[in-house]
Amino acid sequence: MASLPVVSIASSENTAEDEAYTDPADYIFKHKEYHDCIFTVGRNDDKVEKISAMSCDLKSHSSVFRKILTGNPAEVRIKDVSPEVFKLILTYVYGGEMPTLDQPTAAQLALAAGLYKILPLVDWACELILPECADDVFPALVCVANMSCPELEPHVAEIVQQETQAVLSSEQFLDLDAKCLEYISRQETLSVSELELWRALVLWGQHKVITEPGKTLREHLKTTLSNVRLTTLSLEEISKELIPTKILAPEEVVGLLSAVTSNRPCKLPGICNNRETRELCSSVGNRRSRRLADETVFNESYTFDCLNVVWYSDVYPGKLEELPEYSEISNLTINTHDKKLKIETFTVQSKPILKLGKQPVYKLSCTITVSKIEDGFCTETRIAQMGGEIVGGKEITFPLKLRNGQPLILDANSSYNIALDFDSSHPVHQIYNTAYSKYDTHTILNFNHISVQYDTPLHVQKIHFRA
């Protein structure tokens, strides 16, 4: 058996350079004879650079590069990162020491590492851009808006929600991409009004028309229009702030105005149909105060039964009669008196068994828009939902919760319009006044702590609430 050669580490011929530690990345960058692939890197043709590399290191760190480099192509085009960021990726995969980075560069590195599935590098870069306030949130905002960053997202969301005005008024805001605008406008809570958000988005769009020509103002704002709650604006705000921008087409303006005046959802393609007023958050302290305020104890329990109220009423002696024609929509107004109320359930009549045929069980879905009315104008809108599988021919009681899971609470001495929109026509009733032998419209019925006005034939026959 042949003996192995003996290699001596110590040698008098070693130079000082040979004995000194060399950063692995520096060594590989310097010794191009080990490189086996060439990348043409750069987003724009005028900033493209050819960079040679060792493919095995890239393949060992990235499933994306393993796929790209299958078959050992002579040259690969990389269009989604800059040459500077690509060299940082190479430094990392070569095992070199990463340099000190400013936050914008760290954000670009995190995005590039995410694109090529180098997850440890994503985590390392994200640690460099953890935001503390509105002044330094923008690099992290770019990351969370463009990829999944669970370690950054809670910090970014908190700053965007609590310091919205500072974010929107920053010069850096105008340089954000459309996905960042989508992220901001998707938040359920912001510390500015919807009108202030709209103004900032329009200003951003006007800036993009100048810096990125080729698209109209509407095209730049296209992806954010599905998040901006235009139906929560007042008619005056729509007239003075929205119509002059000409972002919406004339027929879209007509549709929006119709939705606002009729208190119905806006059903325009690409336009937000959420009529629920975005929660206003100015600080952590204010949010805590609101939570404490919502923890009001409701000790008294009541059930407003329209049939009983009508039957025993001296003003409206009569009865409830089911109308032959069913309806998908109905409206009622609740005026609260001296106490704040928590609405717990609505009771409605399901479809009769005879109309359901051989399928007495069916699915019901109803969207409930709750609008607070002050001086004739809607000042706040919330959305509740009720539904489920139900049996025909019965009174069905549904628990009421807002879409965010919170209870429906009505302020004292306030007026609320309640609009119900069913997914299909359901039985409606109307009060028949036996004293005058006619159906009553716009009937107002007084009860403990509330008065209820029916503006249309009614779906809701009973309202259970606590005071």
Side-chain angles (χ1 to χ4, degrees):
M1 179 177 178
S3 60
L4 296 174
V6 178
V7 179
S8 175
I9 297 177
S11 173
S12 59
E13 296 178 0
N14 287 348
T15 64
E17 181 180 357
D18 292 330
E19 293 176 352
Y21 173 78
T22 302
D23 182 272
D26 289 343
Y27 182 84
I28 296 174
F29 280 129
K30 182 178 179 181
H31 290 271
K32 296 185 181 294
E33 65 269 22
Y34 299 127
H35 299 185
D36 59 353
C37 58
I38 296 176
F39 295 91
T40 302
V41 185
R43 292 191 177 94
N44 303 315
D45 291 338
D46 57 340
K47 295 182 180 179
V48 167
E49 183 177 342
K50 288 187 181 295
I51 302 173
S52 61
M54 288 179 58
S55 62
C56 63
D57 293 278
L58 288 167
K59 290 177 180 178
S60 66
H61 283 82
S62 164
S63 60
V64 177
F65 277 117
R66 284 197 289 274
K67 187 177 295 184
I68 290 173
L69 296 171
T70 298
N72 300 315
E75 190 168 324
V76 177
R77 181 72 170 96
I78 301 292
K79 294 184 177 181
D80 21 54
V81 300
S82 67
E84 293 74 24
V85 170
F86 190 75
K87 289 174 184 176
L88 290 171
I89 291 176
L90 291 177
T91 299
Y92 177 81
V93 300
Y94 291 160
E97 182 178 352
M98 297 297 288
T100 301
L101 303 178
D102 57 38
Q103 284 200 331
T105 303
Q108 292 303 315
L109 178 59
L111 289 171
L115 181 65
Y116 291 103
K117 309 296 183 187
I118 310 176
L119 301 185
L121 182 55
V122 173
D123 295 339
W124 181 86
C126 285
E127 288 181 5
L128 302 179
I129 57 176
L130 196 66
E132 295 182 355
C133 62
D135 292 335
D136 67 355
V137 75
F138 291 93
L141 173 57
V142 171
C143 287
V144 300
N146 286 275
M147 69 176 186
S148 175
C149 292
E151 67 279 5
L152 287 180
E153 207 280 333
H155 302 277
V156 174
E158 184 177 29
I159 292 170
V160 167
Q161 291 171 7
Q162 295 182 7
E163 303 179 48
T164 315
Q165 186 59 55
V167 171
L168 300 182
S169 59
S170 170
E171 290 183 2
Q172 298 179 74
F173 173 76
L174 297 178
D175 295 325
L176 293 174
D177 61 22
K179 287 190 175 181
C180 292
L181 275 288
E182 290 177 55
Y183 178 85
I184 294 171
S185 60
R186 280 200 308 267
Q187 301 300 310
E188 286 295 326
T189 301
L190 291 175
S191 53
V192 297
S193 67
E194 207 69 21
L195 178 59
E196 291 172 301
L197 175 63
W198 171 252
R199 287 171 177 166
L201 296 177
V202 171
L203 187 63
W204 174 88
Q206 292 170 338
H207 176 75
K208 292 298 179 184
V209 168
I210 297 171
T211 59
E212 299 177 19
K215 287 185 178 181
T216 64
L217 180 57
R218 169 64 179 260
E219 288 171 335
H220 278 293
L221 290 171
K222 181 180 178 180
T223 55
T224 60
L225 287 176
S226 60
N227 299 321
V228 186
R229 304 179 185 187
L230 297 179
T231 51
T232 64
L233 299 178
S234 67
L235 294 177
E236 182 180 7
E237 290 169 343
I238 293 173
S239 175
K240 292 182 177 180
E241 302 276 353
L242 189 148
I243 295 177
T245 66
K246 298 183 178 179
I247 291 173
L248 298 190
E251 60 272 18
E252 290 176 320
V253 172
V254 172
L256 176 63
L257 292 173
S258 175
V260 172
T261 54
S262 65
N263 197 28
R264 297 287 304 280
C266 181
K267 297 182 179 180
L268 297 172
I271 306 298
C272 179
N273 63 3
N274 191 343
R275 296 211 68 247
E276 189 170 4
T277 303
R278 202 185 302 263
E279 184 182 354
L280 193 62
C281 163
S282 55
S283 69
V284 176
N286 285 349
R287 285 214 310 275
R288 187 178 296 115
S289 298
R290 283 200 303 275
R291 285 199 301 269
L292 291 174
D294 288 343
E295 290 172 2
T296 305
V297 177
F298 297 91
N299 291 320
E300 305 170 36
S301 179
Y302 301 94
T303 298
F304 170 86
D305 185 335
C306 182
L307 177 61
N308 288 340
V309 173
V310 170
W311 185 261
Y312 293 109
S313 172
D314 294 329
V315 180
Y316 293 106
K319 57 183 179 179
L320 279 183
E321 288 194 357
E322 182 176 318
L323 300 183
E325 291 187 3
Y326 294 176
S327 177
E328 293 181 6
I329 60 173
S330 63
N331 278 273
L332 59 97
T333 300
I334 295 179
N335 298 301
T336 61
H337 298 165
D338 55 334
K339 291 187 176 183
K340 181 184 287 189
L341 307 180
K342 180 167 73 171
I343 307 298
E344 295 198 324
T345 65
F346 277 176
T347 299
V348 301
Q349 181 70 39
S350 64
K351 296 178 182 180
I353 294 287
L354 291 176
K355 289 202 172 187
L356 293 172
K358 297 181 180 180
Q359 296 181 331
V361 177
Y362 68 100
K363 287 186 177 181
L364 175 149
S365 178
C366 178
T367 300
I368 303 168
T369 303
V370 183
S371 304
K372 188 174 184 179
I373 308 298
E374 295 180 3
D375 298 323
F377 292 96
C378 173
T379 60
E380 177 185 301
T381 301
R382 288 173 287 172
I383 306 295
Q385 199 80 26
M386 67 180 189
E389 281 201 347
I390 62 174
V391 178
K394 293 182 177 291
E395 285 188 355
I396 309 295
T397 298
F398 292 98
L400 280 192
K401 291 283 187 181
L402 298 177
R403 279 181 175 171
N404 61 9
Q406 298 300 308
L408 175 56
I409 296 176
L410 309 184
D411 293 331
N413 301 307
S414 299
S415 181
Y416 293 87
N417 176 262
I418 315 292
L420 289 87
D421 190 349
F422 288 80
D423 59 347
S424 62
S425 294
H426 272 74
V428 289
H429 295 73
Q430 197 157 5
I431 297 171
Y432 184 79
N433 192 316
T434 54
Y436 295 95
S437 300
K438 67 174 185 176
Y439 288 109
D440 279 338
T441 56
H442 304 293
T443 306
I444 299 176
L445 302 175
N446 292 302
F447 192 65
N448 294 311
H449 306 298
I450 64 171
S451 61
V452 179
Q453 175 178 325
Y454 287 101
D455 303 316
T456 65
L458 57 101
H459 285 110
V460 177
Q461 299 181 38
K462 296 177 184 178
I463 303 171
H464 181 72
F465 63 94
R466 290 182 177 274

